[in-house]
Amino acid sequence: MSQQNFAAPMSGPAPYPELNFTPNAPIFKGTTNGRLDQFDSGSSGDTNVLAVLFEDRTDDEKHVQLEVWSAPGRTKPTFSEAVRQNFKPAKKGIMLGPSWTQHWFRVILNIPKEWKDKERIQFEFDPSGEAMIFDAEGLPLQGITGGFGGDRRVEFIIPKEARGFPYKIYIEASCNAMFGNGDGSHGPPDDNRYFRLNSADLVVPRMQAWHLLWDFRILRDISRTLPLDNSSLGNVAFLTANKILNEFDASDLSTIAKCRKIAETVFGEGWAEKGEKVYEEGLREKDIGHEQVWGIGNCHIDTAWLWPYSATQQKTARSWSTQCDLIERYPEFTFVASQAQQFKWLEQQYPKLFQVIKTKVDEGKFQPIGGTWVEMDTNMPSGEALCRQFAYGQRYFKSRFGEYCDVFWLPDTFGYSSQLPQLARNAGMKYFFTQKLSWNQYNSFPRTTFNWIGLDGTQVITHMTPVNTYTAQAYVGDVRNATYRHKNLGTEDKGLLAYGNGDGGGGPLAPMIEGLRRIRAAANERGELPKVKMGSSVGDFYRAIEKDSNGGRDLTTWHGELYFELHRGTYTSHGSIKKGNRKSEVLLREIEFAATFASLAPHAREDRQYVFPKDDVDELWENTLLQQFHDVLPGSGIGMIYEDAEKYYAHIRNKGNALLEKALQVYLPGTVPITSPSINENYEIVAVNTLCHPRREIVRLPNSQVYSATGSFQTSRNQEFCYALVEDRDGTGVATIQNADALLKQGHVFAQRRGDVVVMGNAFLWLEVSPQGRITRLADLGQSRELIADGQTAGFVIFDDHPLNWDAWDVDFFHLQTKKNVDAHSVEIVETGPLRATLLAKYRIGKDTEMRAYISLDAVPHAYGADALTMIRIDVEVDWHERHKFLKWEIPLNINSDIARYETQFGVLSRPTHRNTTWDAAKFEVCGHRFADLSEYGYGVALLNDCKYGYACEGNVLRISLLRAATAPDAEQDQHYHEFSLGVLPHRGSFDHSQVPLAGMIFNTPLHLRKVASSSINTLTARKSPVHIVGGSNVFIDTIKRGDDDDFSGDEYSAVPRTVVLRIYEAYGGHASVDLQIDLGVKKATICDILERDQGEVLVKPVGSGSVIPLQFRAFQVISVKLYLDEEVDFIELASNSSVSGESWTPVQE
């Protein structure tokens, strides 16, 4: 045999073999992919990683002493109240209930001695619902979310210092799940639901096994997110996960470490020991701070939705205490929370936790954001209400945490008003975050990061997270989508990852933060995934965008409203809540008007007779702003929250009316309400006009008293009241009853039957109503113009309303195909003139709904001017008991226009009447405020209301939405009695030349009728208007209030300046140069922002006894003027040459 020479053995990898007899086929990816689920599925729990997650567990009474006390009914006792109660022994398996009740546990934990050196010991408490753990002194430590959903959080880490002695905690268990007590489909709650205490165990988790579980899940997630046919990282992660399955043996604990080592193939060698330092690797120096994905923990808590306010107060404490714990455990973790109302609740109810949060805020880890009182609906609140959302929110954050918010955070509202950019900038925020338009029904919104330009031209840098959610679970797909779905990568490539459980609260879980570490490690090691940046603020994110986009100049733009193509039914659902909102806004305006001037009156300052009631006004505003939360005002919550809301509105109404009366008694001394019997001598009637504009009206007065007033009266046919003409011709603020003879000579109003048709008319309009209660003819007599389209009628219509999804939220386009007229069964004449004519139409809808509509026409217009026309007023009473029906009122007009105008906050929006594009067609139901208007050249018609928000205009048909009847999540939505009013106002000239905005104000701001002794009338009516606008019919004073920083202690020697703030706006969409005339002693004046920070001084020109401030407006601009009052000059000067007409009283008979 020949001798063979062999080379010496080589170090390193084995040499490539010459021969191979072993087949090695590629694995079947589909089958293997299914196999990966076996690693952490319950079906293989005895052999997979789930079998080794815990080292030990005990629930015996020696180590876990459990007692319980159940609060009576639905009461929610405080910690101090609960711990004083008599607790009874309890054990696992007990049932807690019914729904919405509270059950307090006293728990004493004795840690087994053999556990004292364990890495971690936890108390596992699963009550199937939500709970909160307190220490023995009442500090909330952590929230609990029971059950087995993705938001499960049942583990509480026992402090190491508590291992050597009995450790006492208290737990408040609430009988509701994370999303209330419904069936999971947003239906009404089950009020008799019970919850099982599944566990109350001391456990020792095997942390290495948990880390392996988190390793594996991210590997699997990578393999399923990145396409296996062309992704190197996806394939490596796939094969690595499979290797872990092959290596792992539940009976051999040493395989846990081996499997974790295998995972380093993707995450990098030694990555786990780096902890939060993993975020400092993988970048070139110049790229630090410019990562594409910025992670921020957040916890969206609906202030009310499928649960009441009281539950939200608990959710806030549970969620935020948990986040404070995560901040301690993960140095890279930062968390944002919005809504000043929730912070205030926490401060009041959980003061110890509030102090902990303040410390975290100081550290920059817990970051208040948003700058508003609640995350409000932005479609329906008035312009001033939006101002107050910002003002009350920002001032709260500044007062508690030392800084204003710089980011307007509103991720979950159903559309965004076109005035938000202007108002947000005016409140100190130039950055805006949302994502809701990713839900659009038809059109994908084409921007991610852009300049949103509002109605007046103001812009904010806006980011709509491409992750398309504010409740990201920090999956690999979430991180990838932050760039993959980004629509503006060419101009700005950053995406915000807002992660954490939300809506019902909860926030981020520890596995989310652990997962993000692994995703960053994989990106560092192998690329293909964007690198996540952690630890910064949302403000830092926007500042980086601003810097990298040339100060925002390179960003694309979007002009006008951000219309949401979904949830259109929210403009109408829960009509009484809409009414409560509108009436509360108006009442607060009236209170501030009267209280401001009352507080400045000389006689009010003597002996502190009257001080502006700042605390009371603040309380009512905060209550009103609370009801504007985006699931309360839109009508998309459960019935319980509307029971609460109605109580709030009743309180606002009762307390507000008392505040208003007190202010009016000082503002107009000697006056009392018209129904008051306190004036026994002869008296006159006056009416308080707070609009700072001339107005006249036909008003209704009680007929049980004798009036000595000069004027003309029409007694009602039932003799219960009478009608009179009141005027404030100069806009002085005080209107008086006038003799209507001269006006009536031009033409009185009448109503009469002609056959089966009721005819109503005056000098301006002709109206015909059919026996079915439909308006068959409306004509402008002066122009011989028919206003209703030929062959059509105006009146009530009803639609079937069965949306595909989201019952209370949505109305789908196909409902328009089911229209039916609602016909009256009787029409009768109620009043025949000469000041007012009224007919009553009665309707039956379905089996149980009764409706009455009073259609009235007055003899004189509300406004002045040669072309002013009267308005048709429709006062509706309806006892509504329909289901899945939609009631509207429409008028088909003899007008042709491509656009209709709808009032929005501080202006009007133009929207298409056609359906040329899908963007146009999607707007088949839109939001408006006090009016909508359809005009062509030379003529138009406006449709007014006093508490409605839903509109539509299809071609020439102008329509307003009145009542819906959804059954989820509130099974009894709107099933009760309603009152509301509509107005039809024709106007000669197009909208730009009309007085429609003023008419909308007048329609919603009734005169306050009062009595005054005849001997005092001359003094009262001789007052000048304190403030008014001269030189611009398109500019209006919206709000008059005292400055927020004034001294309201009543100390007349206070060094704090007395100030008055005016909110003024341009209403039509054009420039204006006006004079603000002021009959107050003004020392200086400034333009201020919504937060009342001075922006610059303006010229004050003395004129006579008052002052004039010239102001310049651009289209739809809102300007706040702050007047610094001269302490030497008091309100109010009297006009020396004023007098009251001495014409005799001329009663007018029917």
Side-chain angles (χ1 to χ4, degrees), residues 533-558:
K533 177 179 175 59
M534 297 281 281
S536 295
S537 71
V538 178
D540 292 335
F541 169 79
Y542 278 95
R543 282 183 283 274
I545 289 175
E546 186 176 2
K547 180 181 178 182
D548 293 347
S549 62
N550 187 25
R553 295 173 182 84
D554 295 340
L555 299 176
T556 57
T557 60
W558 185 271

PDB file of all heavy atoms in Angstrom, residues 533-558:
ATOM      1  N   LYS A 533     -35.653  55.979  17.081  1.00  0.00           N
ATOM      2  CA  LYS A 533     -35.052  56.875  18.064  1.00  0.00           C
ATOM      3  C   LYS A 533     -35.972  56.953  19.272  1.00  0.00           C
ATOM      4  O   LYS A 533     -37.184  57.134  19.133  1.00  0.00           O
ATOM      5  CB  LYS A 533     -34.857  58.273  17.471  1.00  0.00           C
ATOM      6  CG  LYS A 533     -34.295  59.304  18.452  1.00  0.00           C
ATOM      7  CD  LYS A 533     -34.109  60.655  17.790  1.00  0.00           C
ATOM      8  CE  LYS A 533     -33.660  61.708  18.792  1.00  0.00           C
ATOM      9  NZ  LYS A 533     -32.398  61.362  19.449  1.00  0.00           N
ATOM     10  N   MET A 534     -35.394  56.820  20.455  1.00  0.00           N
ATOM     11  CA  MET A 534     -36.175  56.876  21.693  1.00  0.00           C
ATOM     12  C   MET A 534     -35.608  57.961  22.600  1.00  0.00           C
ATOM     13  O   MET A 534     -34.454  58.373  22.472  1.00  0.00           O
ATOM     14  CB  MET A 534     -36.129  55.525  22.405  1.00  0.00           C
ATOM     15  CG  MET A 534     -36.751  54.385  21.612  1.00  0.00           C
ATOM     16  SD  MET A 534     -38.542  54.365  21.709  1.00  0.00           S
ATOM     17  CE  MET A 534     -38.772  53.623  23.321  1.00  0.00           C
ATOM     18  N   GLY A 535     -36.447  58.416  23.527  1.00  0.00           N
ATOM     19  CA  GLY A 535     -35.972  59.308  24.568  1.00  0.00           C
ATOM     20  C   GLY A 535     -36.186  60.777  24.320  1.00  0.00           C
ATOM     21  O   GLY A 535     -35.911  61.595  25.197  1.00  0.00           O
ATOM     22  N   SER A 536     -36.648  61.146  23.135  1.00  0.00           N
ATOM     23  CA  SER A 536     -36.859  62.557  22.828  1.00  0.00           C
ATOM     24  C   SER A 536     -38.321  62.934  23.045  1.00  0.00           C
ATOM     25  O   SER A 536     -39.169  62.096  23.342  1.00  0.00           O
ATOM     26  CB  SER A 536     -36.443  62.852  21.387  1.00  0.00           C
ATOM     27  OG  SER A 536     -35.064  62.656  21.200  1.00  0.00           O
ATOM     28  N   SER A 537     -38.622  64.203  22.844  1.00  0.00           N
ATOM     29  CA  SER A 537     -39.991  64.682  22.972  1.00  0.00           C
ATOM     30  C   SER A 537     -40.622  64.822  21.598  1.00  0.00           C
ATOM     31  O   SER A 537     -39.931  64.860  20.573  1.00  0.00           O
ATOM     32  CB  SER A 537     -40.024  66.040  23.693  1.00  0.00           C
ATOM     33  OG  SER A 537     -39.493  67.056  22.854  1.00  0.00           O
ATOM     34  N   VAL A 538     -41.936  64.939  21.576  1.00  0.00           N
ATOM     35  CA  VAL A 538     -42.631  65.180  20.314  1.00  0.00           C
ATOM     36  C   VAL A 538     -42.235  66.549  19.767  1.00  0.00           C
ATOM     37  O   VAL A 538     -42.103  66.731  18.553  1.00  0.00           O
ATOM     38  CB  VAL A 538     -44.156  65.072  20.513  1.00  0.00           C
ATOM     39  CG1 VAL A 538     -44.890  65.367  19.210  1.00  0.00           C
ATOM     40  CG2 VAL A 538     -44.531  63.686  21.019  1.00  0.00           C
ATOM     41  N   GLY A 539     -42.026  67.514  20.650  1.00  0.00           N
ATOM     42  CA  GLY A 539     -41.551  68.816  20.205  1.00  0.00           C
ATOM     43  C   GLY A 539     -40.213  68.720  19.513  1.00  0.00           C
ATOM     44  O   GLY A 539     -39.967  69.398  18.492  1.00  0.00           O
ATOM     45  N   ASP A 540     -39.303  67.871  20.045  1.00  0.00           N
ATOM     46  CA  ASP A 540     -38.005  67.659  19.387  1.00  0.00           C
ATOM     47  C   ASP A 540     -38.201  67.099  17.984  1.00  0.00           C
ATOM     48  O   ASP A 540     -37.492  67.470  17.042  1.00  0.00           O
ATOM     49  CB  ASP A 540     -37.148  66.694  20.208  1.00  0.00           C
ATOM     50  CG  ASP A 540     -36.708  67.282  21.538  1.00  0.00           C
ATOM     51  OD1 ASP A 540     -36.636  68.518  21.650  1.00  0.00           O
ATOM     52  OD2 ASP A 540     -36.439  66.489  22.469  1.00  0.00           O
ATOM     53  N   PHE A 541     -39.156  66.184  17.842  1.00  0.00           N
ATOM     54  CA  PHE A 541     -39.458  65.590  16.537  1.00  0.00           C
ATOM     55  C   PHE A 541     -39.848  66.672  15.532  1.00  0.00           C
ATOM     56  O   PHE A 541     -39.338  66.719  14.405  1.00  0.00           O
ATOM     57  CB  PHE A 541     -40.583  64.568  16.718  1.00  0.00           C
ATOM     58  CG  PHE A 541     -41.187  64.047  15.440  1.00  0.00           C
ATOM     59  CD1 PHE A 541     -40.541  63.074  14.701  1.00  0.00           C
ATOM     60  CD2 PHE A 541     -42.418  64.524  14.999  1.00  0.00           C
ATOM     61  CE1 PHE A 541     -41.108  62.578  13.530  1.00  0.00           C
ATOM     62  CE2 PHE A 541     -42.990  64.031  13.836  1.00  0.00           C
ATOM     63  CZ  PHE A 541     -42.330  63.062  13.100  1.00  0.00           C
ATOM     64  N   TYR A 542     -40.745  67.560  15.943  1.00  0.00           N
ATOM     65  CA  TYR A 542     -41.185  68.624  15.027  1.00  0.00           C
ATOM     66  C   TYR A 542     -40.081  69.636  14.757  1.00  0.00           C
ATOM     67  O   TYR A 542     -39.960  70.146  13.640  1.00  0.00           O
ATOM     68  CB  TYR A 542     -42.417  69.316  15.596  1.00  0.00           C
ATOM     69  CG  TYR A 542     -43.701  68.575  15.328  1.00  0.00           C
ATOM     70  CD1 TYR A 542     -44.239  67.701  16.260  1.00  0.00           C
ATOM     71  CD2 TYR A 542     -44.386  68.748  14.130  1.00  0.00           C
ATOM     72  CE1 TYR A 542     -45.422  67.014  16.012  1.00  0.00           C
ATOM     73  CE2 TYR A 542     -45.574  68.075  13.872  1.00  0.00           C
ATOM     74  CZ  TYR A 542     -46.082  67.211  14.816  1.00  0.00           C
ATOM     75  OH  TYR A 542     -47.251  66.536  14.557  1.00  0.00           O
ATOM     76  N   ARG A 543     -39.284  69.925  15.760  1.00  0.00           N
ATOM     77  CA  ARG A 543     -38.188  70.871  15.524  1.00  0.00           C
ATOM     78  C   ARG A 543     -37.178  70.306  14.545  1.00  0.00           C
ATOM     79  O   ARG A 543     -36.601  71.044  13.726  1.00  0.00           O
ATOM     80  CB  ARG A 543     -37.535  71.246  16.852  1.00  0.00           C
ATOM     81  CG  ARG A 543     -38.354  72.268  17.645  1.00  0.00           C
ATOM     82  CD  ARG A 543     -37.676  72.697  18.928  1.00  0.00           C
ATOM     83  NE  ARG A 543     -37.809  71.692  19.968  1.00  0.00           N
ATOM     84  CZ  ARG A 543     -38.848  71.603  20.788  1.00  0.00           C
ATOM     85  NH1 ARG A 543     -39.854  72.452  20.680  1.00  0.00           N
ATOM     86  NH2 ARG A 543     -38.901  70.668  21.720  1.00  0.00           N
ATOM     87  N   ALA A 544     -36.976  68.992  14.594  1.00  0.00           N
ATOM     88  CA  ALA A 544     -36.091  68.362  13.612  1.00  0.00           C
ATOM     89  C   ALA A 544     -36.683  68.461  12.209  1.00  0.00           C
ATOM     90  O   ALA A 544     -35.964  68.722  11.232  1.00  0.00           O
ATOM     91  CB  ALA A 544     -35.848  66.899  13.990  1.00  0.00           C
ATOM     92  N   ILE A 545     -37.999  68.254  12.088  1.00  0.00           N
ATOM     93  CA  ILE A 545     -38.667  68.415  10.793  1.00  0.00           C
ATOM     94  C   ILE A 545     -38.509  69.842  10.297  1.00  0.00           C
ATOM     95  O   ILE A 545     -38.167  70.079   9.122  1.00  0.00           O
ATOM     96  CB  ILE A 545     -40.159  68.047  10.913  1.00  0.00           C
ATOM     97  CG1 ILE A 545     -40.334  66.542  11.102  1.00  0.00           C
ATOM     98  CG2 ILE A 545     -40.936  68.528   9.681  1.00  0.00           C
ATOM     99  CD1 ILE A 545     -41.763  66.119  11.352  1.00  0.00           C
ATOM    100  N   GLU A 546     -38.777  70.788  11.176  1.00  0.00           N
ATOM    101  CA  GLU A 546     -38.686  72.197  10.782  1.00  0.00           C
ATOM    102  C   GLU A 546     -37.280  72.537  10.299  1.00  0.00           C
ATOM    103  O   GLU A 546     -37.093  73.206   9.270  1.00  0.00           O
ATOM    104  CB  GLU A 546     -39.081  73.082  11.962  1.00  0.00           C
ATOM    105  CG  GLU A 546     -39.160  74.553  11.632  1.00  0.00           C
ATOM    106  CD  GLU A 546     -39.658  75.393  12.792  1.00  0.00           C
ATOM    107  OE1 GLU A 546     -39.920  74.828  13.883  1.00  0.00           O
ATOM    108  OE2 GLU A 546     -39.787  76.621  12.621  1.00  0.00           O
ATOM    109  N   LYS A 547     -36.280  72.052  11.024  1.00  0.00           N
ATOM    110  CA  LYS A 547     -34.897  72.344  10.653  1.00  0.00           C
ATOM    111  C   LYS A 547     -34.532  71.693   9.328  1.00  0.00           C
ATOM    112  O   LYS A 547     -33.893  72.319   8.464  1.00  0.00           O
ATOM    113  CB  LYS A 547     -33.954  71.851  11.755  1.00  0.00           C
ATOM    114  CG  LYS A 547     -32.482  72.096  11.462  1.00  0.00           C
ATOM    115  CD  LYS A 547     -31.610  71.564  12.598  1.00  0.00           C
ATOM    116  CE  LYS A 547     -30.130  71.771  12.283  1.00  0.00           C
ATOM    117  NZ  LYS A 547     -29.262  71.223  13.367  1.00  0.00           N
ATOM    118  N   ASP A 548     -34.936  70.440   9.141  1.00  0.00           N
ATOM    119  CA  ASP A 548     -34.539  69.694   7.943  1.00  0.00           C
ATOM    120  C   ASP A 548     -35.352  70.071   6.707  1.00  0.00           C
ATOM    121  O   ASP A 548     -35.054  69.595   5.613  1.00  0.00           O
ATOM    122  CB  ASP A 548     -34.678  68.187   8.196  1.00  0.00           C
ATOM    123  CG  ASP A 548     -33.677  67.683   9.232  1.00  0.00           C
ATOM    124  OD1 ASP A 548     -32.746  68.437   9.560  1.00  0.00           O
ATOM    125  OD2 ASP A 548     -33.841  66.546   9.705  1.00  0.00           O
ATOM    126  N   SER A 549     -36.388  70.893   6.858  1.00  0.00           N
ATOM    127  CA  SER A 549     -37.219  71.283   5.714  1.00  0.00           C
ATOM    128  C   SER A 549     -37.124  72.784   5.443  1.00  0.00           C
ATOM    129  O   SER A 549     -38.092  73.398   5.005  1.00  0.00           O
ATOM    130  CB  SER A 549     -38.678  70.883   5.957  1.00  0.00           C
ATOM    131  OG  SER A 549     -39.197  71.546   7.096  1.00  0.00           O
ATOM    132  N   ASN A 550     -35.956  73.333   5.771  1.00  0.00           N
ATOM    133  CA  ASN A 550     -35.732  74.756   5.481  1.00  0.00           C
ATOM    134  C   ASN A 550     -36.755  75.619   6.214  1.00  0.00           C
ATOM    135  O   ASN A 550     -37.419  76.475   5.627  1.00  0.00           O
ATOM    136  CB  ASN A 550     -35.791  75.009   3.972  1.00  0.00           C
ATOM    137  CG  ASN A 550     -35.400  76.423   3.584  1.00  0.00           C
ATOM    138  OD1 ASN A 550     -34.664  77.099   4.316  1.00  0.00           O
ATOM    139  ND2 ASN A 550     -35.900  76.877   2.443  1.00  0.00           N
ATOM    140  N   GLY A 551     -36.864  75.357   7.519  1.00  0.00           N
ATOM    141  CA  GLY A 551     -37.818  76.105   8.314  1.00  0.00           C
ATOM    142  C   GLY A 551     -39.257  75.836   7.938  1.00  0.00           C
ATOM    143  O   GLY A 551     -40.134  76.690   8.132  1.00  0.00           O
ATOM    144  N   GLY A 552     -39.520  74.650   7.405  1.00  0.00           N
ATOM    145  CA  GLY A 552     -40.865  74.279   6.981  1.00  0.00           C
ATOM    146  C   GLY A 552     -41.218  74.733   5.583  1.00  0.00           C
ATOM    147  O   GLY A 552     -42.271  74.357   5.050  1.00  0.00           O
ATOM    148  N   ARG A 553     -40.366  75.521   4.948  1.00  0.00           N
ATOM    149  CA  ARG A 553     -40.695  76.093   3.635  1.00  0.00           C
ATOM    150  C   ARG A 553     -40.740  75.059   2.538  1.00  0.00           C
ATOM    151  O   ARG A 553     -41.423  75.255   1.523  1.00  0.00           O
ATOM    152  CB  ARG A 553     -39.695  77.197   3.283  1.00  0.00           C
ATOM    153  CG  ARG A 553     -39.744  78.404   4.210  1.00  0.00           C
ATOM    154  CD  ARG A 553     -38.616  79.385   3.908  1.00  0.00           C
ATOM    155  NE  ARG A 553     -38.638  80.514   4.835  1.00  0.00           N
ATOM    156  CZ  ARG A 553     -38.090  80.497   6.039  1.00  0.00           C
ATOM    157  NH1 ARG A 553     -37.456  79.388   6.474  1.00  0.00           N
ATOM    158  NH2 ARG A 553     -38.150  81.554   6.812  1.00  0.00           N
ATOM    159  N   ASP A 554     -40.017  73.960   2.710  1.00  0.00           N
ATOM    160  CA  ASP A 554     -39.978  72.940   1.653  1.00  0.00           C
ATOM    161  C   ASP A 554     -41.142  71.961   1.731  1.00  0.00           C
ATOM    162  O   ASP A 554     -41.306  71.121   0.838  1.00  0.00           O
ATOM    163  CB  ASP A 554     -38.656  72.154   1.735  1.00  0.00           C
ATOM    164  CG  ASP A 554     -37.439  73.018   1.442  1.00  0.00           C
ATOM    165  OD1 ASP A 554     -37.613  74.083   0.817  1.00  0.00           O
ATOM    166  OD2 ASP A 554     -36.333  72.632   1.850  1.00  0.00           O
ATOM    167  N   LEU A 555     -41.927  72.036   2.787  1.00  0.00           N
ATOM    168  CA  LEU A 555     -43.029  71.092   2.951  1.00  0.00           C
ATOM    169  C   LEU A 555     -44.173  71.427   1.999  1.00  0.00           C
ATOM    170  O   LEU A 555     -44.427  72.595   1.689  1.00  0.00           O
ATOM    171  CB  LEU A 555     -43.546  71.124   4.393  1.00  0.00           C
ATOM    172  CG  LEU A 555     -42.552  70.739   5.491  1.00  0.00           C
ATOM    173  CD1 LEU A 555     -43.185  70.905   6.862  1.00  0.00           C
ATOM    174  CD2 LEU A 555     -42.049  69.305   5.303  1.00  0.00           C
ATOM    175  N   THR A 556     -44.872  70.381   1.557  1.00  0.00           N
ATOM    176  CA  THR A 556     -46.064  70.599   0.738  1.00  0.00           C
ATOM    177  C   THR A 556     -47.165  71.209   1.596  1.00  0.00           C
ATOM    178  O   THR A 556     -47.066  71.254   2.829  1.00  0.00           O
ATOM    179  CB  THR A 556     -46.550  69.277   0.123  1.00  0.00           C
ATOM    180  OG1 THR A 556     -46.800  68.332   1.185  1.00  0.00           O
ATOM    181  CG2 THR A 556     -45.507  68.699  -0.813  1.00  0.00           C
ATOM    182  N   THR A 557     -48.230  71.677   0.969  1.00  0.00           N
ATOM    183  CA  THR A 557     -49.281  72.386   1.692  1.00  0.00           C
ATOM    184  C   THR A 557     -50.627  71.712   1.488  1.00  0.00           C
ATOM    185  O   THR A 557     -50.853  70.989   0.517  1.00  0.00           O
ATOM    186  CB  THR A 557     -49.380  73.852   1.225  1.00  0.00           C
ATOM    187  OG1 THR A 557     -49.692  73.877  -0.172  1.00  0.00           O
ATOM    188  CG2 THR A 557     -48.084  74.605   1.483  1.00  0.00           C
ATOM    189  N   TRP A 558     -51.528  71.974   2.398  1.00  0.00           N
ATOM    190  CA  TRP A 558     -52.946  71.611   2.293  1.00  0.00           C
ATOM    191  C   TRP A 558     -53.745  72.791   2.814  1.00  0.00           C
ATOM    192  O   TRP A 558     -53.546  73.242   3.945  1.00  0.00           O
ATOM    193  CB  TRP A 558     -53.263  70.360   3.095  1.00  0.00           C
ATOM    194  CG  TRP A 558     -54.680  69.898   2.898  1.00  0.00           C
ATOM    195  CD1 TRP A 558     -55.781  70.267   3.611  1.00  0.00           C
ATOM    196  CD2 TRP A 558     -55.159  68.997   1.883  1.00  0.00           C
ATOM    197  NE1 TRP A 558     -56.914  69.651   3.133  1.00  0.00           N
ATOM    198  CE2 TRP A 558     -56.558  68.865   2.067  1.00  0.00           C
ATOM    199  CE3 TRP A 558     -54.545  68.291   0.865  1.00  0.00           C
ATOM    200  CZ2 TRP A 558     -57.348  68.051   1.260  1.00  0.00           C
ATOM    201  CZ3 TRP A 558     -55.330  67.483   0.056  1.00  0.00           C
ATOM    202  CH2 TRP A 558     -56.714  67.356   0.257  1.00  0.00           C
TER     203      TRP A 558
END
